[in-house]
Every structure is written in structure tokens, then in C-alpha cells.
Amino acid sequence: MAEFDPGSLPDLLPLYYRRIFPFGPYGRWLLYSDVSKNYFQRREFSFTLHDDIYVRYQSFNTPQELEKEIQKTCPYKIDIGAVYSHRPIQHNTVHMGAFQAQEKELVFDIDMTDYDDVRQCCRSAEICSKCWTLMTLAIRIIDRALVEDFGIEHRLWVYSGRRGVHCWVCDDSVRKWSTTLRSAAVEYLTLVKGGEETIKKVILSDPIHPFIRESLNVVKEYFEEYALVGQDILGNKESYDKVLALVPENILWGYFERRGAWDSLGRMVLLRETLQKEFCKKRNSIQRWELLKNKTEKFSKVQWEIMLQYCFPRLDINVSKGINHLLKSPFSVHPKTGRISVPIDLQKLDSFDPFAVPTISQLCHELDKTGNDRGDEERNEGELENPRRNRDHKKTSLAPYVKVFERFLEEMDRSQKEESPKASDVQMDF
């Protein structure tokens, strides 16, 4: 496999954008079947160019015009923004206050760095197969809620190319949601609250909301293998002290008061102290977790709050609630890792491997290995240049990810054809 060198991007990007980037389905996605007048023309794109030159408010008449500009400028990163009241490229000519973001996909951004307080294996931008389970959990929990709780159909989950995932909710009615509705949706999906100084970030209230119960069911499937084995969250004193700090003291005192748990001097014994002593006698995290469960059997919420603090999705609220917020485009190249931001197949979610996602250098190497024989044949047959070029990704390991994207588009097309002419809004209770 070809190793990625960030310094090679200026040489690789022209080939990637000319022959591999799937401009056909990409343009089809953002056109949305010309849902309203000048819809595509009013969409903002931003490019990050060489030397971190950032160009906002780019807009184009057609997907073909966008394709030509990308091939000309070879951006290191492509971001997609809102659909505005006017063409973004003309924003400086519009009367102040008249240029407004009107529509955009509801998006979610989940970044592994937000889990640093509960990860044992990695820190900052680092990821590994052990902590990637957090992304799997996040997708399963959020996607279930989007479908079953919100009635949403069209969700495109995308690997960011480095340490996280993005979700694009593309239903027609959802794209029209106001900032207020978007804020309400992300608030509904948020449970872990508080900054670095906050020790206990999950506090459950009675009765437990159905969304939380459903999320717990997902967490329980992964908790032992991920948290107790992979992360070993009770493996040593430093790590299990962090867990014990999440157990409310008032519950512990009340629990032992009823049990008559007093020491030889007549002092009430705190469960936290008892567990610390008994943990030393246990061999691993699994045994210590069983002990904790037994000691708190009458207080299931204690266990649930620990599980959720260690495993529940952590969303970037600002990304989701702002209509004019930009988000990295699918099939963009991550300039640090070289990996492509590829769609994730939800049917194979548990087997998705971020380290198996192709880099731009790998794709260009694969294309180079195929040689020019096929291209010569197709030119001899008089085939148009564009159709030939747009199929070049099929010669590379990007092909299965493009298929996932095309299936997503087919489902949207099918849904649009079946839809009643009368527009229907998604109804929900928060």
C-alpha cells in the first residue's frame, strides 16, 4: 500500500479530482432534483486551498461548473454550507440583512477528542480499533432515534477521514427546519453535559425517558467488550477511582444505613471506601463491575449513569443548530491522514474499519497500476471523455464507498417518486 505523505498532496489532488472524485452522483445529490428555483445555484461551497487559504461563499450555476472549478483550484478541503436567499458569490452586492441562510441538511458532527476524559487507549487526534467502538455506538444510538423517534428517512453517515463521523439528514422537510427546531433536536439527543471541570456529566431523572432506555439497550450490547475489556475502566486504582467518583454519596450513605453497615468504632462505612478495598481483591474490570452492580442493585440508575457517561454520543451542538454552519464534504481528502471522507454502510457498521479507508496516495497508485489500456480502448470506441473519467473510481478501492452513496441516492429518488404531492412536515415531541 502506498504510504501517504502530506507533502505529496499538490501532485495527487489534480489526478484525484480529474479521474476519481465521483462528481456524477455528488452533483445529483446536491441538486435534489431541482426541488426549487436555483436551489443548487444558491448553495454555498467553501474551499481550503494550499497554505491554508480559505475561500468562502463560492457558488456555481451547475454541478459541471463546480467540477471545473474544483479541478482548477484543487482544494485541500471542501466544505458544504447552506442554501441562501441569494447566490453566495453575490453576497457582497446584496443589501445588508437580505442575504439569509434558508435551508440546509440537519448535520451532526461527532469527534473522538470529545471523549478524551473516558478513553484509556488514545488521546487528542489519535484513534485505534478499541475506541472506534464509540463511533459505532454513536451512529447506532443517533440513527435509531432519527428513524424511530423523529420519523426521518434519509441519513448519510460519513467518516471524517481522521477521528470522527458526520451525519447528513437530507429529508425535504428537515432541510427547511429553523434554528429553533434544530436546537430542539440536538438537545433531545444530548445527555452528556458539562466541561472538563465537571466530574459527573450524566444525571438521569425519573421516569427514564424512552430515548434513554433505548440508548441503554444499545450500550449494554457493547459495554463489557468495549469498556471493561477494551478500555479496562476498572483496571487500576486511578481508573476505578474515576468511576467511583460518579456514584452519588447520598445514595451510598442511605444504602448502608438501611443495611446497618457500621465499622468497629460505630462509624458508618461509605460504599466507595468499601469498594476500593474489595476491588483490590478482584482480578479485572469485569469482576469489579460485577461487584459494583451487586452493591448498587437497588440503585440501577447509578450503573446506567456510569455506562452512559462512558459510552453515550457526544455531539457538537453548534454544528447542528446553525443553518449557515459549514461541514466537510463527503469524498473530501483529509490533509493530515490523506484518507477520503467516505460514506459508511449502516448494514456493515460493526465491521467498518477507519484504517481500511483508502488514502489519496493509495487510490492514485491503484489507478496508475491499472495502466492506460482500458482508457485507450474506450477512446478508440469513441466514448465521451466525461463518462469514461467518471467511472475511473471503479478501478480503485473507493468503488464500494461510492456504491453506498449511490444506494443512498436511489432511496431518496424512490422516496421522492412515491411521495404525495402534498408536502408533509415531520411531527415530533421533545
Side-chain angles (χ1 to χ4, degrees), residues 295-313:
K295 295 291 187 182
T296 59
E297 60 184 343
K298 288 189 176 293
F299 306 102
S300 298
K301 277 202 300 185
V302 173
Q303 303 161 30
W304 298 343
E305 286 171 346
I306 293 170
M307 294 169 75
L308 292 168
Q309 179 149 335
Y310 274 79
C311 299
F312 195 83

Side-chain angles (χ1 to χ4, degrees), residues 379-396:
R379 280 193 291 274
N380 291 338
E381 290 169 6
E383 192 168 2
L384 293 175
E385 183 184 354
N386 280 2
R388 177 184 65 79
R389 183 195 60 232
N390 286 341
R391 286 203 302 270
D392 278 347
H393 67 261
K394 293 185 177 179
K395 304 173 187 175
T396 72

Side-chain angles (χ1 to χ4, degrees), residues 197-214:
E197 303 304 315
T198 307
I199 295 174
K200 189 172 176 61
K201 297 179 180 178
V202 175
I203 299 174
L204 299 178
S205 57
D206 286 320
I208 303 295
H209 192 281
F211 166 59
I212 305 300
R213 288 197 177 276
E214 291 289 346

